[in-house]
Amino acid sequence: MASIFTRIINGEIPSYKVAEDENFLAFLDINPLEKGHTLVVPKKEIDYIRPGRRNLQGMIVFAKRVAKKIQAKIACKRVAVVVFGLEVPHAHIHLIPMENEYDVDFRKVKPKFTPEEFEETARMIRE
């Protein structure tokens, strides 16, 4: 069965797309730690990215471009790059705007955003 990320990639589930190329997709996390929290996924469904694989290098380069866009549009000191989580069996990188380490605490109470706020955030980052 396809992962939720594959279903997003295939357009079966809507998302707030931030960036896309032939190999990778970046979209806003719908359960974000901070405004602009973005997920980067390979379009080819793989569960784990091992060092030395070509698509790991491509994914990092793509994520860096997206992180620069996030930092240019979302007020933050930097953008954390986090590989974390077992809940979706599809490799993914979290890009999280941060002011301090607490902003990257996955246990904290998460902010809530309306669909309109998500769309506006995605549009800001895309531009």
Side-chain angles (χ1 to χ4, degrees):
M1 186 162 115
S3 77
I4 189 168
F5 294 161
T6 296
R7 295 180 65 208
I8 289 169
I9 292 162
N10 292 338
E12 299 168 21
I13 297 174
S15 67
Y16 302 99
K17 290 182 183 179
V18 169
E20 182 174 17
D21 70 11
E22 62 278 353
N23 298 308
F24 305 103
L25 176 66
F27 53 92
L28 295 180
D29 190 319
I30 60 167
N31 194 23
L33 294 178
E34 294 293 328
K35 178 181 178 180
H37 180 168
T38 299
L39 298 174
V40 173
V41 300
K43 288 185 175 179
K44 178 181 179 188
E45 185 174 314
I46 56 173
D47 183 26
Y48 186 76
I49 296 180
R50 288 166 178 50
R53 287 185 133 175
R54 267 190 32 219
N55 72 350
L56 172 60
Q57 180 181 6
M59 192 170 174
I60 294 297
V61 169
F62 180 82
K64 182 178 178 180
R65 287 194 310 263
V66 175
K68 284 182 178 183
K69 288 181 172 188
I70 293 169
Q71 191 158 18
K73 302 294 181 162
I74 304 291
C76 62
K77 285 187 180 175
R78 64 178 47 151
V79 176
V81 178
V82 180
V83 178
F84 179 83
L86 298 171
E87 68 282 356
V88 179
H90 191 135
H92 56 287
I93 295 173
H94 295 261
L95 301 176
I96 306 164
M98 63 181 285
E99 290 293 321
N100 57 59
E101 288 85 8
Y102 178 71
D103 293 339
V104 188
D105 185 345
F106 283 81
R107 298 168 295 181
K108 73 177 192 167
V109 175
K110 296 173 176 76
K112 300 294 180 197
F113 299 101
T114 66
E116 295 79 17
E117 290 170 317
F118 275 116
E119 188 53 53
E120 175 62 18
T121 301
R123 185 193 59 72
M124 280 178 22
I125 297 169
R126 277 194 308 267
E127 294 179 346

